[in-house]
């Protein structure tokens, strides 16, 4: 059995490819390795692929025991630290089970160098999403993951070309880019930059009646923008909001997107674990450093 662990914004999702379960990040502070028995006997686990935070301190898929500082530059920055993801990561390390960590996309990643105008492109679970989508859509696609964040990844020729993160472009329900009003509040000492990021989503900026259409618009814009580099790339949506925006995205782009659900990342990570521990040494252009 191979397991994927998706460290999301609001929950941590676990998948064996056939079975799934999730727990809130707060509840995950009490996680124990025996909780994985919801997927099957712990003794049957042959490999795990997991994510932690931004994954910005390494650039290749790496055994978790070889990482410094759990693979992050710092726990400070864009996002909320609760402790659940830390507990899951540490429990897997302590278990001694074979496990690899997936890196995020950042300036050290093998993406198109033009995307490195920004320090961060995507968190590690987005690689899991891309790998799952790759199985169905092939080597050329763009996938927009829309939930608390909106992050969109472009894959061309079977390799990740680059991505647009929530703090750069499209808002999610909770997070988004820091705009002029937020900059003023930060400069005036009314709010921290991190807090501004965590209150820049459509749930804070728009009336309820406009939120879904806005998510669809900006997701479609990111897909269209990334297709400049790959005009024939197929379009996919993932995340909890994907089913809600699919019809509007189709109307905006004139093309029906393939819709994946909230388990896309954890299933893709389980698939990565199976392939990495089966001997594969590259995942969508990301090297494996065993």
């Amino acid at each position: 059995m191979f397991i994927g662990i998706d460290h999301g914004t609001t929950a941590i999702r676990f998948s064996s490819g056939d079975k799934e379960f999730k727990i809130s990040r707060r509840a995950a502070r009490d996680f124990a390795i025996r909780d994985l028995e919801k997927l099957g006997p712990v003794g049957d686990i042959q490999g795990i692929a997991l994510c932690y935070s931004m994954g910005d301190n390494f650039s290749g898929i790496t055994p978790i025991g070889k990482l410094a500082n759990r693979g992050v530059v710092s726990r400070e920055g864009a996002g909320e630290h609760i402790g659940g993801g830390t507990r899951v990561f540490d429990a897997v390390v302590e278990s001694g089970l074979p496990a690899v960590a997936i890196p995020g996309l950042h300036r050290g990643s093998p993406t198109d160098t033009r995307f490195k105008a920004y320090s961060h492109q995507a968190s590690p679970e987005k690689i899991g999403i891309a790998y799952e989508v790759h199985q169905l859509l092939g080597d050329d696609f763009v996938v927009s993951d829309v939930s608390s964040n909106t992050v969109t990844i472009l894959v061309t020729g079977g390799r990740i070309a680059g991505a647009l993160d929530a703090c750069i472009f499209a808002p999610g329900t909770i997070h988004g880019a820091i705009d002029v009003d937020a900059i003023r509040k930060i400069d005036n000492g009314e709010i921290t930059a991190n807090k501004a990021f965590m209150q820049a989503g459509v749930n804070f900026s728009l009336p309820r009646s406009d939120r879904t259409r806005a998510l669809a618009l900006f997701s479609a814009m990111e897909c269209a923008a990334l297709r400049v580099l790959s005009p024939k790339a197929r379009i996919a949506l993932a995340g909890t909001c994907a089913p809600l925006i699919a019809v509007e995205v189709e109307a905006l782009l004139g093309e029906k997107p393939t819709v994946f659900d909230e388990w896309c990342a954890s299933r893709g990570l389980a698939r990565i674990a199976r392939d990495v521990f089966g001997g594969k040494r590259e995942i969508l252009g990301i090297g494996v450093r065993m």
Side-chain angles (χ1 to χ4, degrees):
M1 177 171 63
F2 297 92
I3 292 175
I5 303 177
D6 164 21
H7 182 190
T9 303
T10 59
I12 299 178
R13 295 172 178 84
F14 304 79
S15 176
S16 64
D18 299 316
K19 297 180 180 179
E20 293 93 21
F21 74 95
K22 66 179 177 180
I23 51 180
S24 71
R25 285 175 60 188
R26 193 165 300 279
R29 292 183 298 185
D30 298 320
F31 176 83
I33 207 71
R34 63 177 178 274
D35 292 336
L36 295 180
E37 291 178 355
K38 295 176 183 177
L39 302 176
V42 171
D44 289 349
I45 297 174
Q46 297 170 267
I48 297 172
L50 81 166
C51 302
Y52 181 75
S53 188
M54 292 186 183
D56 56 358
N57 199 27
F58 66 116
S59 57
I61 296 171
T62 305
I64 54 175
K66 294 183 179 180
L67 293 180
N69 198 37
R70 301 187 186 90
V72 296
V73 172
S74 171
R75 291 193 304 187
E76 303 301 321
E80 183 179 16
H81 178 68
I82 296 174
T86 301
R87 175 58 199 151
V88 171
F89 185 98
D90 290 348
V92 173
V93 173
E94 293 161 6
S95 74
L97 290 167
V100 292
I102 309 302
L105 298 177
H106 50 82
R107 283 186 174 136
S109 302
T111 57
D112 186 312
T113 56
R114 291 170 290 184
F115 284 92
K116 298 176 186 183
Y118 294 105
S119 62
H120 178 75
Q121 297 171 47
S123 295
E125 71 276 5
K126 310 310 178 193
I127 294 177
I129 288 173
Y131 202 56
E132 186 70 5
V133 174
H134 178 250
Q135 310 309 308
L136 183 63
L137 298 189
D139 286 346
D140 299 278
F141 63 87
V142 57
V143 55
S144 188
D145 179 40
V146 186
S147 52
S148 300
N149 298 292
T150 295
V151 179
T152 307
I153 293 181
L154 173 66
V155 172
T156 59
R159 299 174 63 90
I160 295 175
L164 296 171
D165 191 68
C167 56
I168 297 172
F169 192 164
T173 57
I174 298 174
H175 301 157
I178 297 176
D179 69 358
V180 173
D181 282 347
I183 292 170
R184 288 171 177 155
K185 289 178 181 179
I186 294 166
D187 285 349
N188 289 335
E190 299 174 35
I191 194 171
T192 65
N194 192 42
K195 191 71 171 178
F197 168 70
M198 293 174 60
Q199 293 182 352
V202 297
N203 286 2
F204 299 92
S205 60
L206 293 172
R208 188 178 299 274
S209 59
D210 293 334
R211 292 172 187 172
T212 300
R213 294 186 66 231
L215 289 174
L217 173 63
F218 285 104
S219 173
M221 288 172 70
E222 286 197 340
C223 290
L226 289 172
R227 285 178 100 188
V228 166
L229 295 176
S230 184
K232 295 183 179 180
R234 300 175 69 181
I235 299 171
L237 300 173
T240 53
C241 295
L244 303 177
I245 68 171
V247 172
E248 184 74 10
V249 169
E250 180 179 358
L252 290 165
L253 296 178
E255 182 176 332
K256 186 178 182 65
T258 302
V259 178
F260 294 80
D261 62 19
E262 65 177 296
W263 301 102
C264 185
S266 56
R267 288 174 183 158
L269 292 166
R271 194 183 296 275
I272 289 174
R274 177 177 290 105
D275 288 350
V276 166
F277 286 103
K280 197 165 186 178
R281 290 297 171 260
E282 186 178 281
I283 300 292
L284 299 179
I286 306 297
V288 177
R289 300 173 180 174
M290 300 297 282

